[in-house]
Amino acid sequence: MLNKEIVARLKGGVAVRGVLTAYDGCMNLVLDDAAELDKSGEPVTRYGRIVVRGSQVIYVSTGEVAP
Amino acid sequence: MLNKEIVARLKGGVAVRGVLTAYDGCMNLVLDDAAELDKSGEPVTRYGRIVVRGSQVIYVSTGEVAP
Amino acid sequence: MLNKEIVARLKGGVAVRGVLTAYDGCMNLVLDDAAELDKSGEPVTRYGRIVVRGSQVIYVSTGEVAP
Amino acid sequence: MLNKEIVARLKGGVAVRGVLTAYDGCMNLVLDDAAELDKSGEPVTRYGRIVVRGSQVIYVSTGEVAP
Amino acid sequence: MLNKEIVARLKGGVAVRGVLTAYDGCMNLVLDDAAELDKSGEPVTRYGRIVVRGSQVIYVSTGEVAP
Amino acid sequence: MLNKEIVARLKGGVAVRGVLTAYDGCMNLVLDDAAELDKSGEPVTRYGRIVVRGSQVIYVSTGEVAP
Amino acid sequence: MLNKEIVARLKGGVAVRGVLTAYDGCMNLVLDDAAELDKSGEPVTRYGRIVVRGSQVIYVSTGEVAP
């Protein structure tokens, strides 16, 4: 998944997308060109780099495929 | 359960299904051909690979049998 | 409780029933012929084997007796 | 409190009552002749033995005294 | 605070009052002549001794002073 | 921040204010002349000393400045 | 991110902004010229220095870019 665009589903209904540039054993994630997504998967807020705390991650996916 | 299709019931009412290709002692799960399911068990979003954080797992099942 | 049918009350109002075939010090449970129960204790979804994460368990009981 | 009837107030508004036959440093509790109580303290579901996970306990009391 | 009457504000909106007779590094508390309080600070349920699990404590106070 | 008046924002929408007289590595806090604040920052309940459990702290601030 | 203005999204829908002057391995953060933000990102309460507890952090970002 490294250096690929991923989607991270977080606690509290938050979802973020970005290029995974680093992670550690606690699933702390560093995402570049990141954005917070709304329920339909559209970007609500765009960021440069974000650091996601692993304890908040529900799952990480390599991006959606066609339903 | 390894290399079989499983359903994982997660905190916050989230459920995912996929082929279990790896897991560890914290119940972190790697699922391939994964999908997030709605309340009735139908796929809502399809993913390639997802990594589920063990701390969010309520239970993992080897799939439903007829009621 | 080993190899007996138990009911496990889990966080988030979830309850499951099944034959307890294994458990560990963190109260991770392996249940066979398992089912998720609704509020009145009736099976909603039947599974083969489920693995319940101990951190989600509120209590485990050896099954209900007559009120 | 050992071998006495206690009431355990648990997370999520759950309360249980029973004879405390064992406990450990994490406040895991084994209760015999146990019952889950409703808001007014009346038994809703009676069980034989239940094992309560310490992480869900808010407090344990040696039973109510007259208001 | 030892052997004084204290009020403990707990998660989930629960508050208890009693004489602090013992505590440990995890803020587990033993209170005697304890009572659970309602929102206005009045006793709802009186207990003899209660043992409060430290992980549920938000704060402990040496009792209210006049507003 | 030691011996200064601070505001601590706690989980569950609780906020307290007081003079920080001690703290430790887990952000357990001892506040003197403490008070619980309502949403607008006004004292609802005044206490002498309170001990706040670090796990409930969201953030601690050195008090508000003019908006 | 050190000595830059960051936005920290915290549990419970709380967001704060400030200059990151220190942090540690648990993502405890020290922010100067800090403010709590409302849903639209506008400052609601301004503080001097705040210390954010890492366990409450969902993610930290280097500030928004144009949508």
Side-chain angles (χ1 to χ4, degrees):
Chain A
M1 291 189 172
L2 206 56
N3 298 320
K4 285 189 185 155
E5 183 170 83
I6 62 148
V7 171
R9 185 90 138 75
L10 309 180
K11 286 193 206 176
V14 177
V16 292
R17 187 176 59 201
V19 177
L20 179 64
T21 53
Y23 65 92
D24 66 16
C26 298
M27 272 204 205
N28 292 316
L29 312 171
V30 178
L31 304 182
D32 280 352
D33 308 324
E36 183 166 332
L37 309 178
D38 63 21
K39 301 269 182 208
S40 67
E42 290 309 309
V44 175
T45 321
R46 289 184 190 280
Y47 297 106
R49 165 167 293 184
I50 68 173
V51 179
V52 180
R53 199 164 193 280
S55 65
Q56 304 307 308
V57 172
I58 295 179
Y59 64 75
V60 175
S61 76
T62 51
E64 286 181 57
V65 299
Chain B
M1 291 188 171
L2 206 55
N3 298 319
K4 286 188 185 155
E5 183 171 82
I6 61 150
V7 171
R9 184 90 136 76
L10 309 180
K11 285 192 206 176
V14 176
V16 291
R17 187 175 60 201
V19 177
L20 179 64
T21 53
Y23 65 92
D24 66 17
C26 298
M27 271 203 205
N28 293 315
L29 312 171
V30 178
L31 304 182
D32 281 352
D33 308 323
E36 184 166 333
L37 309 178
D38 63 21
K39 300 267 181 208
S40 67
E42 291 309 310
V44 175
T45 322
R46 289 182 190 284
Y47 297 107
R49 166 168 292 183
I50 69 172
V51 178
V52 179
R53 199 165 192 279
S55 64
Q56 305 306 308
V57 172
I58 295 180
Y59 64 75
V60 175
S61 76
T62 52
E64 286 181 57
V65 299
Chain C
M1 290 188 171
L2 206 56
N3 299 319
K4 285 190 187 154
E5 183 170 83
I6 62 148
V7 172
R9 185 90 136 76
L10 308 180
K11 286 191 204 174
V14 177
V16 291
R17 186 176 60 201
V19 176
L20 178 64
T21 53
Y23 66 93
D24 66 17
C26 299
M27 270 202 206
N28 293 315
L29 313 171
V30 178
L31 304 183
D32 281 352
D33 309 324
E36 184 166 331
L37 309 177
D38 63 21
K39 300 267 183 211
S40 67
E42 291 310 308
V44 174
T45 321
R46 289 184 191 282
Y47 297 107
R49 166 168 291 183
I50 68 172
V51 178
V52 180
R53 198 164 194 278
S55 64
Q56 305 306 308
V57 172
I58 295 179
Y59 64 75
V60 176
S61 77
T62 52
E64 286 180 57
V65 298
Chain D
M1 291 189 172
L2 206 56
N3 298 320
K4 285 189 187 155
E5 182 171 85
I6 62 148
V7 172
R9 185 91 137 75
L10 309 180
K11 287 192 205 173
V14 177
V16 291
R17 186 176 61 202
V19 176
L20 179 64
T21 53
Y23 65 93
D24 66 16
C26 299
M27 270 202 206
N28 293 315
L29 313 171
V30 179
L31 305 182
D32 280 352
D33 308 325
E36 184 166 332
L37 309 178
D38 63 21
K39 301 268 182 210
S40 66
E42 290 310 309
V44 175
T45 321
R46 290 184 191 281
Y47 297 106
R49 167 168 291 183
I50 68 173
V51 178
V52 180
R53 199 165 193 279
S55 64
Q56 305 306 307
V57 172
I58 296 180
Y59 64 75
V60 176
S61 77
T62 52
E64 286 180 58
V65 299
Chain E
M1 292 188 172
L2 206 56
N3 298 319
K4 285 188 186 156
E5 183 172 83
I6 63 149
V7 172
R9 185 91 137 77
L10 309 180
K11 287 192 205 174
V14 177
V16 292
R17 187 176 60 202
V19 176
L20 179 65
T21 53
Y23 64 92
D24 66 15
C26 298
M27 271 203 206
N28 293 315
L29 312 171
V30 179
L31 305 182
D32 280 352
D33 308 325
E36 183 165 332
L37 309 179
D38 63 20
K39 301 270 181 204
S40 66
E42 291 309 309
V44 176
T45 321
R46 289 184 191 282
Y47 297 107
R49 166 168 292 184
I50 69 173
V51 178
V52 180
R53 199 165 193 279
S55 64
Q56 304 308 306
V57 172
I58 296 180
Y59 65 75
V60 176
S61 76
T62 52
E64 286 182 56
V65 300
Chain F
M1 291 189 173
L2 206 55
N3 298 321
K4 285 189 185 156
E5 182 171 82
I6 62 149
V7 172
R9 186 91 137 74
L10 309 180
K11 287 193 206 175
V14 177
V16 292
R17 186 176 59 202
V19 177
L20 179 65
T21 53
Y23 65 93
D24 66 16
C26 299
M27 272 203 206
N28 293 316
L29 312 171
V30 178
L31 305 182
D32 281 352
D33 309 324
E36 184 165 331
L37 309 179
D38 63 21
K39 301 270 182 205
S40 66
E42 291 310 308
V44 176
T45 320
R46 289 184 190 282
Y47 297 107
R49 166 168 292 182
I50 67 173
V51 178
V52 180
R53 198 164 194 280
S55 64
Q56 305 307 308
V57 172
I58 296 180
Y59 64 74
V60 176
S61 75
T62 51
E64 286 182 56
V65 299
Chain G
M1 291 189 174
L2 206 56
N3 298 320
K4 285 190 186 154
E5 183 170 84
I6 62 149
V7 172
R9 186 91 137 75
L10 309 179
K11 286 193 206 177
V14 177
V16 292
R17 186 176 60 201
V19 177
L20 179 64
T21 53
Y23 66 92
D24 66 17
C26 299
M27 272 203 205
N28 293 315
L29 312 171
V30 178
L31 305 182
D32 280 353
D33 309 324
E36 184 165 332
L37 309 178
D38 63 20
K39 301 269 182 206
S40 67
E42 290 310 309
V44 176
T45 321
R46 289 183 190 282
Y47 297 106
R49 165 168 293 183
I50 68 172
V51 178
V52 180
R53 199 164 194 279
S55 64
Q56 304 307 309
V57 172
I58 295 179
Y59 64 75
V60 175
S61 76
T62 52
E64 287 182 54
V65 298

